[in-house]
Amino acid sequence: MNRRSFLSTAATVAGAAAMAPILSACGGGSTKKAALNSTEGLKAALPAYVPNANAVKPDIAPVQGGPGAATDPAYLSYPTSPPTSVSGIPGKGGSYTAVTPLWGTNPPVDNSFYQAMNKALGVELTIKPADGNNYNTIVPTMTAAKKLPDWITLPTWWNPNFNLGGLTGTQLADLTPYLSGDKIKKYPNLAALPTGAWQVGAWGDKLYGIPSFSTNFAISGCTFYRRDILEARGITADQVKSADDLMNLGKELTDAKRGVWAFEDVWTYLYTAWGGPLKWKVDGSGKLVHLFETQEFLEALDWHNRLAGAGYVHPDALAGDEKGGTRFFSGKSLISGGGTGAWNLADHQSGIAADPNYRRGAFNTITHDGKGTPAIYMGASTGIISYLNANLKPEQIEELLSVANYLAAPYGTAEYTLINFGVEGVHHNRENGVPTFTEEGKKDVQAQTFPFLTAPSAVISNPGGDQVTQDYAAWQGANVKYLTKPIFWGMNYSMPPSIAAAEAAQSVSDTVKECYRGKKKVSEVQDVISSWRSGPGERLKAWMTENVLNKYGTGQ
C-alpha cells in the first residue's frame, strides 16, 4: 500500500538517475528534439492544484516544507466504509489498449479483476504488461514502428532509451488543451496530484504526461540505523550531528570478532553533507561548476575512504556484495544508506523474522561539521509517467482522462480499494479491518498494472505496523524543512548521446566507487577527474551552459 516501496525498487534500477533532471537523448538525422520549458510557458501549461475534498482524513497530516516540499499523509488504519470520489461511470464504452511495465508474473489475460475494472471504468481497456527488466528495449521497437498502444507507461529513468523528447508531439498526445490551468478541475482526482509531478511530463511548454506514484517528499534516500540495537546501547539519533559522530560510532559499534560492523555503504546518501551540490552549482560569477570540480566532493570522498580504511564497513559491502539488507536484518551491520521506500511493513516483517526486536530508524540529515543548515536535495516528484497516443481523437482523449481521474482516486476510497485490492469477497477479504488478498487476488491483482497508468499521491500506510508508520512519518516531519530543490530541478531536456555519455562519466564513477570502498586513493580519483574535465567534462559543461543555463536559467 505504501507507494514508496515501489519507488525504492525503481531507484535500485535507475540508480542516481532518480535524482537527476529528466533527460532524453537526441538521435541523429531528422529526429525531433523537444525544447525545454520556458518559465512562463510552463506556468501556462501546468494544471492548477486543487486539494481533494474527497480524500480520507489522515491520522498524521502532512507537514509543509519549502516550495513544493511536504511530508506524505500517514494512515494508521484502513477506512471501514470507503467513501467514493467519482460519481457515475467515467467511460463511454470505448475500446483501448495499454502497456505497462511489470516486474513479476503477468496476471492471467481477461481475468476476473480486469473484468471488474472494465465494468467500473465503463471501457474495454486491454492491458498488456511487458517485462520490466527489458522494458527499455521493448518500447523502442514500438516507437520505431510507430505502433504505440493507446496508453503507455514510460518510466523517466529510461527517457534517453525512449528518446522521449522526440516522441512528444509526434507519437504522444498533447494534453495541454484538456488539463492546463483550471481545465483540470473537470477531473478532481487528477487536480489533487502535485504540480511538480505534472512538470515531469511537460516538454516544450506543453503537457504530455500523466503522473503515478507522486510525492512532495522525493529524495534519493537517507542513512538508516538499527534503532533497537543502538538505543539498547544508549545511542539515539539526536546524538549524531556530524561526520565525526558517525566515525566515532564506527569505532564503538564495530566488533569484527563477533562478525559485526558498524557500516554498509552510505556514500550515495551522505556525500552532500559536506556542502557540495547534487551535481551542479552556479558560482559567484554565474558559471556552472560540476560536483567533481568541488573541494567538498573530495573531502566527502576522503572521509568515506578513511571510514573503509578504519575497518568500520562490512567487508562484503566493500567487495560489492549487495546483500546488505540481509546483514542489516541480522545485525551484522548496523548503519546503512538506502532509499526511503525500504521503510515499510514488508521490511519490518522481514526484520522481525531475523530479530524479534528489529526496528528501523534513520538519522536526521546532518552537515559534515555539525554546523549550519543541512540540505536534502529533492528529486523529481515522480519517476512514473504515462502518455496517450497522438492518434487518438479528442473525444477518446477525454474519455481516457476520465478513466485516469478514476485511477487517481485517493487512498482509502472505494475506487482506490477496487484498483488496489479488487472485489471484496473475490480478490480480498477484511482481516482485522485490513483488505487482505485471497488466492485469486494474489494471482490477478497483486501484480499491479492499473496504478502504473495513473495513481494518487503517496501516503504512508502500514496496516498492522503502526510503529513503522509513526517512525517514518516522524522522520519526514523532522526533515522536511531541509528539502531543497537543486538547480535544474524538474527541467526536461534532450542531450545528444555523446553529451549524455560525458555526463555519465563512467570512468570517474567507477574510480569513486573504488575509492570509497578503500581500494583506491583520493589522488587517483583526482587524476581521473582531471582527464575527464579536459575532454568530456568541458564539452558537457559547455553544452549545459549554452543549451540550458544561458537559455532557460537554473529553474529556480
Side-chain angles (χ1 to χ4, degrees):
M1 264 189 280
N2 183 349
R3 294 283 160 255
R4 302 180 72 79
S5 63
F6 163 74
L7 292 179
S8 175
T9 304
T12 300
V13 177
M19 291 301 294
I22 312 305
L23 308 180
S24 176
C26 311
S30 60
T31 301
K32 177 181 178 290
K33 182 169 71 174
L36 276 78
N37 299 303
S38 66
T39 302
E40 291 304 314
L42 178 64
K43 184 178 179 181
L46 289 176
Y49 170 72
V50 184
N52 200 319
N54 295 313
V56 178
K57 184 179 179 180
D59 295 292
I60 303 173
V63 178
Q64 295 298 314
T71 64
D72 297 322
Y75 296 83
L76 300 177
S77 62
Y78 201 83
T80 55
S81 300
T84 59
S85 69
V86 176
S87 60
I89 296 175
K92 297 180 180 179
S95 295
Y96 303 97
T97 57
V99 172
T100 65
L102 180 65
W103 290 269
T105 303
N106 278 13
V109 176
D110 196 32
N111 61 66
S112 60
F113 169 62
Y114 282 3
Q115 293 174 16
M117 281 297 300
N118 280 340
K119 181 179 179 181
L121 295 173
V123 296
E124 189 66 32
L125 182 60
T126 302
I127 295 187
K128 301 177 180 179
D131 180 11
N133 294 319
N134 298 306
Y135 204 68
N136 60 322
T137 59
I138 294 172
V139 172
T141 61
M142 299 181 193
T143 59
K146 296 185 178 180
K147 292 185 178 180
L148 287 177
D150 299 311
W151 200 347
I152 188 167
T153 300
L154 300 178
T156 62
W157 59 87
W158 282 323
N159 279 356
N161 302 78
F162 303 148
N163 182 30
L164 201 283
L167 298 178
T168 55
T170 56
Q171 297 190 48
L172 305 178
D174 177 9
L175 303 181
T176 317
Y178 308 92
L179 297 176
S180 64
D182 288 343
K183 295 173 185 175
I184 200 170
K185 292 181 179 179
K186 180 179 178 181
Y187 312 102
N189 291 335
L190 293 179
L193 300 180
T195 301
W198 289 107
Q199 185 171 338
V200 176
W203 294 78
D205 294 340
K206 294 182 180 180
L207 182 66
Y208 294 94
I210 307 170
S212 290
F213 309 114
S214 54
T215 177
N216 283 321
F217 201 96
I219 64 173
S220 64
C222 58
T223 305
F224 291 115
Y225 69 100
R226 279 290 300 269
R227 182 168 177 173
D228 55 313
I229 294 176
L230 269 65
E231 288 190 350
R233 299 180 63 159
I235 303 168
T236 57
D238 59 1
Q239 296 172 1
V240 178
K241 299 178 180 179
S242 69
D244 283 347
D245 292 337
L246 286 172
M247 188 70 77
N248 291 334
L249 279 183
K251 181 177 182 179
E252 181 176 352
L253 298 173
T254 299
D255 188 343
K257 291 182 179 180
R258 290 179 50 243
V260 176
W261 281 264
F263 289 92
E264 286 287 328
D265 174 22
V266 291
W267 164 261
T268 302
Y269 311 98
L270 194 57
Y271 74 85
T272 55
W274 275 258
L278 190 66
K279 182 175 289 185
W280 296 102
K281 71 175 183 179
V282 176
D283 66 15
S285 64
K287 294 182 179 179
L288 273 182
V289 178
H290 192 276
L291 168 69
F292 294 159
E293 301 175 289
T294 66
Q295 183 63 28
E296 293 89 347
F297 172 77
L298 296 176
E299 291 174 357
L301 195 54
D302 176 70
W303 183 90
H304 284 80
N305 179 268
R306 288 188 288 112
L307 186 76
Y312 301 153
V313 182
H314 197 289
D316 289 348
L318 296 179
D321 182 281
E322 296 182 355
K323 298 178 181 178
T326 301
R327 295 189 289 271
F328 191 73
F329 290 146
S330 64
K332 298 300 182 182
S333 57
L334 306 177
I335 301 171
S336 178
T340 53
W343 212 339
N344 59 24
L345 182 61
D347 169 83
H348 177 69
Q349 292 170 335
S350 297
I352 61 175
D355 182 343
N357 297 315
Y358 176 84
R359 186 177 179 186
R360 180 181 290 270
F363 296 121
N364 291 330
T365 189
I366 63 171
T367 57
H368 77 285
D369 58 3
K371 301 176 182 178
T373 302
I376 306 177
Y377 288 112
M378 296 172 63
S381 293
T382 183
I384 301 295
I385 298 284
S386 70
Y387 299 85
L388 302 182
N389 195 306
N391 292 326
L392 292 171
K393 298 176 181 178
E395 58 268 25
Q396 293 177 309
I397 290 176
E398 290 179 341
E399 184 175 26
L400 287 179
L401 288 176
S402 293
V403 169
N405 183 65
Y406 187 103
L407 298 179
Y411 172 88
T413 57
E415 298 86 2
Y416 179 96
T417 304
L418 175 63
I419 295 161
N420 289 275
F421 301 104
V423 178
E424 186 168 5
V426 178
H427 305 107
H428 77 269
N429 292 309
R430 292 275 185 149
E431 294 183 9
N432 298 318
V434 180
T436 304
F437 286 122
T438 62
E439 289 304 311
E440 187 168 353
K442 292 177 182 177
K443 181 177 62 175
D444 295 351
V445 188
Q446 196 168 29
Q448 292 188 328
T449 50
F450 285 97
F452 279 80
L453 296 174
T454 316
S457 298
V459 303
I460 304 172
S461 176
N462 302 281
D466 287 357
Q467 188 68 68
V468 179
T469 297
Q470 291 167 337
D471 286 349
Y472 182 34
W475 184 85
Q476 280 199 359
N479 288 273
V480 67
K481 59 188 174 184
Y482 301 129
L483 265 61
T484 304
K485 294 178 180 178
I487 68 170
F488 307 137
W489 183 88
M491 296 177 69
N492 295 346
Y493 47 83
S494 299
M495 278 184 169
S498 62
I499 299 301
E503 183 179 60
Q506 196 61 52
S507 62
V508 179
S509 297
D510 291 344
T511 310
V512 166
K513 184 179 293 184
E514 292 292 287
C515 184
Y516 67 67
R517 288 176 175 172
K519 298 177 181 180
K520 288 188 181 294
K521 299 177 181 179
V522 174
S523 60
E524 293 177 272
V525 176
Q526 289 177 289
D527 291 341
V528 176
I529 289 176
S530 179
S531 176
W532 174 81
R533 286 182 64 185
S534 64
E538 284 303 312
R539 291 194 296 273
L540 169 65
K541 186 187 294 187
W543 189 92
M544 288 293 297
T545 299
E546 178 182 352
N547 294 282
V548 183
L549 180 65
N550 288 351
K551 292 182 179 179
Y552 300 96
T554 63
Q556 296 189 332

